[in-house]
Amino acid sequence: MLSRSGACAVLTAAGSGSRLGCECPKALVEISGRPLVWWAARGLRAGGVGDIVVTAPEPSLEDFREALADIENLSVVAGSDRSRQESVALGLAALGDRESSSVVLVHDAARPLTPPQVTQRVIGAVRGGAQAVIPVVPVTDTLKTVDTSGVVTGTPPRRDMVAVQTPQGFCWDILVGAHRVGAALAGDEATSVTDDAGLVEAIGGCVHIVVGDERSLKVTRPLDLTLARLFVRDEPRA
């Protein structure tokens, strides 16, 4: 049962996990006895989020509901097998009507260990007047642009680049409107956007940044999972 009060979130968890080499949905892979999606939902709640809608693969809905049964004000709905963008739109629909100025976050279950402080910073910035907010960390590698034949076409200044994380935060009406305008892109992974801030940028919205955290790593490949398990193992126990 959703409460429809306070900050809310869509937690995307419909990925297959093929690059991770797992047979189950990636978000159900466990760290210290709990699936990635549980850690991600727990972190959102600790950061001040109320209602959470998880978008999961339709064949695994009951598995997700069982894994998240101890987290209140959370519901699990079927995501899209076509694109993340479409999954987010389905999650927004499941959140129902909200006040236009309500804070809504979009987070990836693949970032299970995002510290609550990052979520708090994102929520605080939206409540402070920002339309859209993304957490970022500095880029430490040298980056190159390349063409389709594999030839380097440029070296963008590293000082102008940041790596984007989630959760991303928005005013409710801004995010819903951006998804409505960009809906035609969502039917194919090749045309859909990879983050929701990109949809806001496309309609002329202003996207602000807050400081992210290196612990908010994205679990995509086996090495990422190993690192996440090390982070959990090394956390001080209360």
Side-chain angles (χ1 to χ4, degrees):
M1 178 68 70
L2 299 182
S3 66
R4 302 186 187 278
S5 63
C8 59
V10 174
L11 179 56
T12 64
S16 65
S18 57
R19 285 177 291 180
L20 196 58
C22 55
E23 296 183 0
C24 66
K26 177 169 66 174
L28 292 180
V29 173
E30 291 189 349
I31 299 176
S32 192
R34 293 282 196 169
L36 300 181
V37 66
W38 182 88
W39 288 98
R42 173 178 174 264
L44 287 174
R45 185 57 44 78
V49 175
D51 294 338
I52 300 172
V53 167
V54 177
T55 59
E58 188 167 11
S60 303
L61 291 179
E62 290 308 315
D63 293 330
F64 275 81
R65 287 169 181 148
E66 181 179 349
L68 296 163
D70 60 342
I71 299 181
E72 296 181 351
N73 296 331
L74 179 147
S75 65
V76 179
V77 301
S80 169
D81 60 2
R82 299 196 296 180
S83 73
R84 177 188 181 277
Q85 180 184 336
E86 192 167 66
S87 284
V88 174
L90 291 168
L92 292 173
L95 282 168
D97 294 330
R98 302 274 163 165
E99 294 291 333
S100 62
S101 60
S102 294
V103 179
V104 56
L105 275 60
V106 181
H107 190 35
D108 293 329
R111 296 187 188 273
L113 304 181
T114 298
Q117 294 87 344
V118 174
T119 299
Q120 291 166 358
R121 286 196 285 270
V122 171
I123 293 173
V126 178
R127 286 182 173 158
Q131 292 181 334
V133 179
I134 57 175
V136 302
V137 291
V139 172
T140 57
D141 293 325
T142 296
L143 301 178
K144 301 284 186 181
T145 57
V146 297
D147 63 20
T148 55
S149 63
V151 175
V152 171
T153 59
T155 306
R158 196 164 55 189
R159 65 179 179 274
D160 296 335
M161 311 295 288
V162 291
V164 180
Q165 301 177 330
T166 66
Q168 299 183 356
F170 308 88
C171 285
W172 175 263
D173 59 344
I174 294 295
L175 183 59
V176 171
H179 268 273
R180 186 181 301 117
V181 172
L185 303 173
D188 189 323
E189 192 69 48
T191 60
S192 66
V193 298
T194 57
D195 78 332
D196 297 272
L199 287 174
V200 173
E201 294 168 38
I203 63 170
C206 183
V207 179
H208 294 260
I209 65 171
V210 296
V211 176
D213 195 289
E214 291 182 351
R215 289 168 291 181
S216 186
L217 62 88
K218 187 175 183 181
V219 177
T220 302
R221 297 178 174 83
L223 178 59
D224 305 322
L225 184 60
T226 298
L227 291 173
R229 286 171 171 159
L230 287 173
F231 281 145
V232 170
R233 187 195 67 182
D234 293 340
E235 276 189 353
R237 301 298 179 183

